[in-house]
mmCIF file of all heavy atoms in Angstrom:
data_model
loop_
_atom_site.group_PDB
_atom_site.id
_atom_site.type_symbol
_atom_site.label_atom_id
_atom_site.label_comp_id
_atom_site.label_asym_id
_atom_site.label_seq_id
_atom_site.Cartn_x
_atom_site.Cartn_y
_atom_site.Cartn_z
ATOM 1 N N ILE A 1074 34.585 -62.269 -49.880
ATOM 2 C CA ILE A 1074 35.852 -61.624 -49.493
ATOM 3 C C ILE A 1074 35.864 -60.147 -49.883
ATOM 4 O O ILE A 1074 36.885 -59.475 -49.785
ATOM 5 C CB ILE A 1074 37.063 -62.320 -50.154
ATOM 6 C CG1 ILE A 1074 36.993 -62.208 -51.688
ATOM 7 C CG2 ILE A 1074 37.172 -63.779 -49.715
ATOM 8 C CD1 ILE A 1074 38.267 -62.640 -52.398
ATOM 9 N N GLY A 1075 34.703 -59.613 -50.320
ATOM 10 C CA GLY A 1075 34.666 -58.244 -50.812
ATOM 11 C C GLY A 1075 35.078 -57.213 -49.786
ATOM 12 O O GLY A 1075 35.529 -56.121 -50.151
ATOM 13 N N ASP A 1076 34.941 -57.520 -48.486
ATOM 14 C CA ASP A 1076 35.279 -56.556 -47.436
ATOM 15 C C ASP A 1076 36.671 -56.783 -46.857
ATOM 16 O O ASP A 1076 37.070 -56.097 -45.909
ATOM 17 C CB ASP A 1076 34.242 -56.623 -46.310
ATOM 18 C CG ASP A 1076 34.165 -58.004 -45.666
ATOM 19 O OD1 ASP A 1076 34.608 -58.987 -46.305
ATOM 20 O OD2 ASP A 1076 33.665 -58.104 -44.535
ATOM 21 N N LEU A 1077 37.436 -57.725 -47.419
ATOM 22 C CA LEU A 1077 38.778 -58.011 -46.894
ATOM 23 C C LEU A 1077 39.812 -57.094 -47.530
ATOM 24 O O LEU A 1077 39.726 -56.757 -48.716
ATOM 25 C CB LEU A 1077 39.160 -59.468 -47.162
ATOM 26 C CG LEU A 1077 38.256 -60.546 -46.556
ATOM 27 C CD1 LEU A 1077 38.848 -61.917 -46.820
ATOM 28 C CD2 LEU A 1077 38.051 -60.313 -45.073
ATOM 29 N N ASN A 1078 40.829 -56.723 -46.740
ATOM 30 C CA ASN A 1078 41.905 -55.878 -47.261
ATOM 31 C C ASN A 1078 42.911 -56.734 -48.038
ATOM 32 O O ASN A 1078 42.833 -57.974 -48.037
ATOM 33 C CB ASN A 1078 42.581 -55.113 -46.120
ATOM 34 C CG ASN A 1078 43.213 -56.036 -45.081
ATOM 35 O OD1 ASN A 1078 43.641 -57.146 -45.386
ATOM 36 N ND2 ASN A 1078 43.278 -55.580 -43.836
ATOM 37 N N PRO A 1079 43.877 -56.104 -48.729
ATOM 38 C CA PRO A 1079 44.824 -56.888 -49.540
ATOM 39 C C PRO A 1079 45.589 -57.939 -48.745
ATOM 40 O O PRO A 1079 45.813 -59.046 -49.245
ATOM 41 C CB PRO A 1079 45.764 -55.814 -50.100
ATOM 42 C CG PRO A 1079 44.933 -54.571 -50.160
ATOM 43 C CD PRO A 1079 44.054 -54.645 -48.948
ATOM 44 N N ARG A 1080 45.999 -57.626 -47.517
ATOM 45 C CA ARG A 1080 46.779 -58.586 -46.732
ATOM 46 C C ARG A 1080 45.976 -59.856 -46.475
ATOM 47 O O ARG A 1080 46.487 -60.970 -46.612
ATOM 48 C CB ARG A 1080 47.220 -57.940 -45.415
ATOM 49 C CG ARG A 1080 48.048 -58.869 -44.525
ATOM 50 C CD ARG A 1080 48.427 -58.188 -43.229
ATOM 51 N NE ARG A 1080 47.253 -57.836 -42.453
ATOM 52 C CZ ARG A 1080 46.586 -58.684 -41.671
ATOM 53 N NH1 ARG A 1080 46.980 -59.947 -41.581
ATOM 54 N NH2 ARG A 1080 45.537 -58.280 -40.989
ATOM 55 N N ARG A 1081 44.711 -59.691 -46.105
ATOM 56 C CA ARG A 1081 43.888 -60.866 -45.798
ATOM 57 C C ARG A 1081 43.553 -61.644 -47.072
ATOM 58 O O ARG A 1081 43.442 -62.869 -47.049
ATOM 59 C CB ARG A 1081 42.629 -60.423 -45.066
ATOM 60 C CG ARG A 1081 42.919 -59.808 -43.692
ATOM 61 C CD ARG A 1081 41.650 -59.381 -42.987
ATOM 62 N NE ARG A 1081 40.822 -60.534 -42.637
ATOM 63 C CZ ARG A 1081 39.606 -60.414 -42.112
ATOM 64 N NH1 ARG A 1081 39.079 -59.217 -41.899
ATOM 65 N NH2 ARG A 1081 38.904 -61.500 -41.813
ATOM 66 N N ARG A 1082 43.396 -60.950 -48.184
ATOM 67 C CA ARG A 1082 43.147 -61.664 -49.443
ATOM 68 C C ARG A 1082 44.382 -62.442 -49.869
ATOM 69 O O ARG A 1082 44.281 -63.564 -50.381
ATOM 70 C CB ARG A 1082 42.722 -60.677 -50.537
ATOM 71 C CG ARG A 1082 41.366 -60.058 -50.286
ATOM 72 C CD ARG A 1082 40.834 -59.313 -51.488
ATOM 73 N NE ARG A 1082 39.739 -58.411 -51.096
ATOM 74 C CZ ARG A 1082 38.966 -57.754 -51.933
ATOM 75 N NH1 ARG A 1082 39.156 -57.879 -53.249
ATOM 76 N NH2 ARG A 1082 38.017 -56.948 -51.499
ATOM 77 N N ARG A 1083 45.560 -61.851 -49.670
ATOM 78 C CA ARG A 1083 46.793 -62.561 -50.019
ATOM 79 C C ARG A 1083 46.934 -63.831 -49.186
ATOM 80 O O ARG A 1083 47.399 -64.855 -49.673
ATOM 81 C CB ARG A 1083 48.009 -61.660 -49.801
ATOM 82 C CG ARG A 1083 48.117 -60.529 -50.806
ATOM 83 C CD ARG A 1083 49.316 -59.629 -50.490
ATOM 84 N NE ARG A 1083 50.569 -60.338 -50.681
ATOM 85 C CZ ARG A 1083 51.197 -60.453 -51.836
ATOM 86 N NH1 ARG A 1083 50.684 -59.917 -52.930
ATOM 87 N NH2 ARG A 1083 52.344 -61.101 -51.923
ATOM 88 N N ALA A 1084 46.528 -63.758 -47.919
ATOM 89 C CA ALA A 1084 46.610 -64.937 -47.060
ATOM 90 C C ALA A 1084 45.717 -66.062 -47.564
ATOM 91 O O ALA A 1084 46.001 -67.246 -47.314
ATOM 92 C CB ALA A 1084 46.230 -64.556 -45.630
ATOM 93 N N LEU A 1085 44.662 -65.707 -48.293
ATOM 94 C CA LEU A 1085 43.766 -66.704 -48.870
ATOM 95 C C LEU A 1085 44.208 -67.162 -50.260
ATOM 96 O O LEU A 1085 43.575 -68.030 -50.859
ATOM 97 C CB LEU A 1085 42.341 -66.143 -48.946
ATOM 98 C CG LEU A 1085 41.654 -65.860 -47.606
ATOM 99 C CD1 LEU A 1085 40.318 -65.158 -47.835
ATOM 100 C CD2 LEU A 1085 41.453 -67.152 -46.818
ATOM 101 N N GLY A 1086 45.268 -66.540 -50.788
ATOM 102 C CA GLY A 1086 45.800 -66.962 -52.079
ATOM 103 C C GLY A 1086 45.443 -66.072 -53.246
ATOM 104 O O GLY A 1086 45.651 -66.462 -54.399
ATOM 105 N N VAL A 1087 44.910 -64.861 -52.985
ATOM 106 C CA VAL A 1087 44.587 -63.917 -54.060
ATOM 107 C C VAL A 1087 45.718 -62.900 -54.150
ATOM 108 O O VAL A 1087 45.929 -62.102 -53.227
ATOM 109 C CB VAL A 1087 43.247 -63.199 -53.807
ATOM 110 C CG1 VAL A 1087 42.946 -62.219 -54.935
ATOM 111 C CG2 VAL A 1087 42.115 -64.208 -53.668
ATOM 112 N N ARG A 1088 46.440 -62.931 -55.258
ATOM 113 C CA ARG A 1088 47.603 -62.043 -55.423
ATOM 114 C C ARG A 1088 47.394 -61.106 -56.601
ATOM 115 O O ARG A 1088 46.639 -61.407 -57.525
ATOM 116 C CB ARG A 1088 48.888 -62.865 -55.613
ATOM 117 C CG ARG A 1088 49.317 -63.583 -54.349
ATOM 118 C CD ARG A 1088 50.511 -64.483 -54.600
ATOM 119 N NE ARG A 1088 51.037 -64.997 -53.352
ATOM 120 C CZ ARG A 1088 52.118 -64.517 -52.745
ATOM 121 N NH1 ARG A 1088 52.782 -63.497 -53.262
ATOM 122 N NH2 ARG A 1088 52.538 -65.040 -51.611
ATOM 123 N N TYR A 1089 48.130 -59.980 -56.560
ATOM 124 C CA TYR A 1089 47.897 -58.901 -57.524
ATOM 125 C C TYR A 1089 49.224 -58.296 -57.958
ATOM 126 O O TYR A 1089 50.092 -58.005 -57.126
ATOM 127 C CB TYR A 1089 47.005 -57.845 -56.872
ATOM 128 C CG TYR A 1089 46.810 -56.573 -57.663
ATOM 129 C CD1 TYR A 1089 46.380 -56.594 -58.980
ATOM 130 C CD2 TYR A 1089 47.031 -55.330 -57.064
ATOM 131 C CE1 TYR A 1089 46.194 -55.416 -59.698
ATOM 132 C CE2 TYR A 1089 46.835 -54.149 -57.761
ATOM 133 C CZ TYR A 1089 46.416 -54.199 -59.076
ATOM 134 O OH TYR A 1089 46.231 -53.038 -59.778
ATOM 135 N N VAL A 1090 49.378 -58.095 -59.279
ATOM 136 C CA VAL A 1090 50.525 -57.383 -59.840
ATOM 137 C C VAL A 1090 49.994 -56.085 -60.448
ATOM 138 O O VAL A 1090 49.295 -56.116 -61.467
ATOM 139 C CB VAL A 1090 51.244 -58.213 -60.927
ATOM 140 C CG1 VAL A 1090 52.381 -57.408 -61.539
ATOM 141 C CG2 VAL A 1090 51.762 -59.513 -60.347
ATOM 142 N N PRO A 1091 50.268 -54.920 -59.849
ATOM 143 C CA PRO A 1091 49.737 -53.663 -60.372
ATOM 144 C C PRO A 1091 50.476 -53.209 -61.614
ATOM 145 O O PRO A 1091 51.595 -53.660 -61.896
ATOM 146 C CB PRO A 1091 49.948 -52.685 -59.222
ATOM 147 C CG PRO A 1091 51.134 -53.222 -58.491
ATOM 148 C CD PRO A 1091 51.059 -54.723 -58.623
ATOM 149 N N GLU A 1092 49.856 -52.306 -62.378
ATOM 150 C CA GLU A 1092 50.489 -51.804 -63.591
ATOM 151 C C GLU A 1092 51.671 -50.895 -63.267
ATOM 152 O O GLU A 1092 52.638 -50.832 -64.028
ATOM 153 C CB GLU A 1092 49.484 -51.062 -64.471
ATOM 154 C CG GLU A 1092 48.932 -49.772 -63.881
ATOM 155 C CD GLU A 1092 48.142 -48.946 -64.881
ATOM 156 O OE1 GLU A 1092 48.196 -49.243 -66.088
ATOM 157 O OE2 GLU A 1092 47.475 -47.994 -64.457
ATOM 158 N N ASP A 1093 51.615 -50.166 -62.154
ATOM 159 C CA ASP A 1093 52.672 -49.227 -61.787
ATOM 160 C C ASP A 1093 53.679 -49.955 -60.914
ATOM 161 O O ASP A 1093 53.461 -50.176 -59.733
ATOM 162 C CB ASP A 1093 52.062 -48.034 -61.038
ATOM 163 C CG ASP A 1093 53.085 -46.951 -60.754
ATOM 164 O OD1 ASP A 1093 54.234 -47.082 -61.226
ATOM 165 O OD2 ASP A 1093 52.737 -45.972 -60.069
ATOM 166 N N ARG A 1094 54.808 -50.345 -61.522
ATOM 167 C CA ARG A 1094 55.756 -51.188 -60.794
ATOM 168 C C ARG A 1094 56.584 -50.385 -59.793
ATOM 169 O O ARG A 1094 56.954 -50.898 -58.737
ATOM 170 C CB ARG A 1094 56.686 -51.892 -61.784
ATOM 171 C CG ARG A 1094 57.393 -50.975 -62.759
ATOM 172 C CD ARG A 1094 57.986 -51.774 -63.904
ATOM 173 N NE ARG A 1094 58.497 -50.936 -64.975
ATOM 174 C CZ ARG A 1094 58.392 -51.241 -66.253
ATOM 175 N NH1 ARG A 1094 57.795 -52.348 -66.631
ATOM 176 N NH2 ARG A 1094 58.877 -50.443 -67.181
ATOM 177 N N ALA A 1095 56.914 -49.135 -60.092
ATOM 178 C CA ALA A 1095 57.757 -48.319 -59.209
ATOM 179 C C ALA A 1095 56.864 -47.498 -58.289
ATOM 180 O O ALA A 1095 56.263 -46.519 -58.704
ATOM 181 C CB ALA A 1095 58.666 -47.406 -60.028
ATOM 182 N N GLY A 1096 56.787 -47.896 -57.025
ATOM 183 C CA GLY A 1096 55.970 -47.176 -56.080
ATOM 184 C C GLY A 1096 54.750 -47.959 -55.650
ATOM 185 O O GLY A 1096 54.354 -47.909 -54.483
ATOM 186 N N HIS A 1097 54.140 -48.699 -56.565
ATOM 187 C CA HIS A 1097 52.968 -49.500 -56.236
ATOM 188 C C HIS A 1097 53.356 -50.977 -56.132
ATOM 189 O O HIS A 1097 53.016 -51.647 -55.156
ATOM 190 C CB HIS A 1097 51.879 -49.295 -57.297
ATOM 191 C CG HIS A 1097 50.527 -49.784 -56.876
ATOM 192 N ND1 HIS A 1097 49.415 -49.692 -57.689
ATOM 193 C CD2 HIS A 1097 50.101 -50.385 -55.743
ATOM 194 C CE1 HIS A 1097 48.368 -50.188 -57.058
ATOM 195 N NE2 HIS A 1097 48.754 -50.624 -55.879
ATOM 196 N N GLY A 1098 54.054 -51.472 -57.134
ATOM 197 C CA GLY A 1098 54.474 -52.870 -57.115
ATOM 198 C C GLY A 1098 55.724 -53.106 -56.289
ATOM 199 O O GLY A 1098 55.964 -54.221 -55.823
ATOM 200 N N ALA A 1099 56.534 -52.072 -56.096
ATOM 201 C CA ALA A 1099 57.777 -52.205 -55.335
ATOM 202 C C ALA A 1099 58.153 -50.851 -54.751
ATOM 203 O O ALA A 1099 57.769 -49.804 -55.268
ATOM 204 C CB ALA A 1099 58.913 -52.718 -56.227
ATOM 205 N N VAL A 1100 58.925 -50.888 -53.657
ATOM 206 C CA VAL A 1100 59.521 -49.673 -53.097
ATOM 207 C C VAL A 1100 60.951 -49.635 -53.612
ATOM 208 O O VAL A 1100 61.796 -50.427 -53.182
ATOM 209 C CB VAL A 1100 59.490 -49.690 -51.557
ATOM 210 C CG1 VAL A 1100 60.103 -48.406 -51.002
ATOM 211 C CG2 VAL A 1100 58.060 -49.856 -51.058
ATOM 212 N N VAL A 1101 61.227 -48.745 -54.558
ATOM 213 C CA VAL A 1101 62.504 -48.824 -55.277
ATOM 214 C C VAL A 1101 63.688 -48.479 -54.390
ATOM 215 O O VAL A 1101 64.830 -48.854 -54.704
ATOM 216 C CB VAL A 1101 62.476 -47.927 -56.527
ATOM 217 C CG1 VAL A 1101 61.445 -48.420 -57.534
ATOM 218 C CG2 VAL A 1101 62.204 -46.461 -56.166
ATOM 219 N N GLU A 1102 63.458 -47.769 -53.292
ATOM 220 C CA GLU A 1102 64.576 -47.440 -52.403
ATOM 221 C C GLU A 1102 65.032 -48.634 -51.572
ATOM 222 O O GLU A 1102 66.131 -48.614 -51.005
ATOM 223 C CB GLU A 1102 64.175 -46.293 -51.454
ATOM 224 C CG GLU A 1102 63.926 -44.961 -52.137
ATOM 225 C CD GLU A 1102 62.539 -44.842 -52.728
ATOM 226 O OE1 GLU A 1102 61.712 -45.771 -52.500
ATOM 227 O OE2 GLU A 1102 62.254 -43.850 -53.411
ATOM 228 N N LEU A 1103 64.221 -49.685 -51.502
ATOM 229 C CA LEU A 1103 64.556 -50.863 -50.706
ATOM 230 C C LEU A 1103 65.192 -51.947 -51.576
ATOM 231 O O LEU A 1103 65.070 -51.923 -52.796
ATOM 232 C CB LEU A 1103 63.296 -51.418 -50.033
ATOM 233 C CG LEU A 1103 62.554 -50.477 -49.074
ATOM 234 C CD1 LEU A 1103 61.362 -51.188 -48.455
ATOM 235 C CD2 LEU A 1103 63.483 -49.941 -47.991
ATOM 236 N N THR A 1104 65.828 -52.898 -50.930
ATOM 237 C CA THR A 1104 66.445 -54.002 -51.653
ATOM 238 C C THR A 1104 65.385 -54.998 -52.102
ATOM 239 O O THR A 1104 64.228 -54.953 -51.664
ATOM 240 C CB THR A 1104 67.458 -54.733 -50.761
ATOM 241 O OG1 THR A 1104 66.749 -55.385 -49.712
ATOM 242 C CG2 THR A 1104 68.491 -53.768 -50.186
ATOM 243 N N LEU A 1105 65.792 -55.931 -52.956
ATOM 244 C CA LEU A 1105 64.868 -56.969 -53.401
ATOM 245 C C LEU A 1105 64.456 -57.877 -52.244
ATOM 246 O O LEU A 1105 63.317 -58.343 -52.186
ATOM 247 C CB LEU A 1105 65.509 -57.784 -54.526
ATOM 248 C CG LEU A 1105 65.906 -56.979 -55.771
ATOM 249 C CD1 LEU A 1105 66.464 -57.906 -56.846
ATOM 250 C CD2 LEU A 1105 64.724 -56.187 -56.316
ATOM 251 N N THR A 1106 65.363 -58.123 -51.311
ATOM 252 C CA THR A 1106 64.997 -58.886 -50.111
ATOM 253 C C THR A 1106 63.938 -58.137 -49.310
ATOM 254 O O THR A 1106 62.928 -58.715 -48.887
ATOM 255 C CB THR A 1106 66.236 -59.119 -49.224
ATOM 256 O OG1 THR A 1106 67.148 -59.974 -49.911
ATOM 257 C CG2 THR A 1106 65.844 -59.768 -47.898
ATOM 258 N N GLU A 1107 64.135 -56.857 -49.100
ATOM 259 C CA GLU A 1107 63.181 -56.068 -48.320
ATOM 260 C C GLU A 1107 61.840 -55.962 -49.030
ATOM 261 O O GLU A 1107 60.780 -55.967 -48.383
ATOM 262 C CB GLU A 1107 63.769 -54.684 -48.041
ATOM 263 C CG GLU A 1107 64.941 -54.723 -47.076
ATOM 264 C CD GLU A 1107 65.753 -53.449 -47.069
ATOM 265 O OE1 GLU A 1107 65.701 -52.693 -48.069
ATOM 266 O OE2 GLU A 1107 66.453 -53.205 -46.078
ATOM 267 N N ASN A 1108 61.866 -55.896 -50.361
ATOM 268 C CA ASN A 1108 60.609 -55.886 -51.099
ATOM 269 C C ASN A 1108 59.878 -57.213 -50.965
ATOM 270 O O ASN A 1108 58.645 -57.253 -50.971
ATOM 271 C CB ASN A 1108 60.862 -55.557 -52.571
ATOM 272 C CG ASN A 1108 60.820 -54.064 -52.843
ATOM 273 O OD1 ASN A 1108 59.756 -53.464 -52.924
ATOM 274 N ND2 ASN A 1108 61.999 -53.460 -52.974
ATOM 275 N N SER A 1109 60.626 -58.303 -50.820
ATOM 276 C CA SER A 1109 59.992 -59.594 -50.575
ATOM 277 C C SER A 1109 59.389 -59.649 -49.173
ATOM 278 O O SER A 1109 58.297 -60.189 -48.977
ATOM 279 C CB SER A 1109 61.003 -60.731 -50.745
ATOM 280 O OG SER A 1109 61.510 -60.755 -52.075
ATOM 281 N N LEU A 1110 60.075 -59.053 -48.200
ATOM 282 C CA LEU A 1110 59.556 -59.003 -46.840
ATOM 283 C C LEU A 1110 58.221 -58.277 -46.769
ATOM 284 O O LEU A 1110 57.323 -58.653 -46.003
ATOM 285 C CB LEU A 1110 60.557 -58.299 -45.916
ATOM 286 C CG LEU A 1110 61.756 -59.103 -45.423
ATOM 287 C CD1 LEU A 1110 62.759 -58.187 -44.749
ATOM 288 C CD2 LEU A 1110 61.298 -60.183 -44.457
#
């Protein structure tokens, strides 16, 4: 899976929580629902 992008890896069950929560882990201008979308 080394050549797969994050979306395709997530579809296979590989998930990632980055250290930078504001901007990388979430878009702070959006709602929590939109961040889930």
Side-chain angles (χ1 to χ4, degrees):
I1074 63 169
D1076 60 340
L1077 300 185
N1078 61 29
R1080 180 181 62 81
R1081 295 180 67 186
R1082 292 192 197 189
R1083 289 177 67 85
L1085 294 173
V1087 180
R1088 290 175 171 259
Y1089 172 53
V1090 177
E1092 66 169 348
D1093 186 5
R1094 53 195 171 218
H1097 195 180
V1100 181
V1101 295
E1102 294 83 6
L1103 300 182
T1104 67
L1105 301 183
T1106 294
E1107 291 165 338
N1108 271 282
S1109 299
L1110 281 169

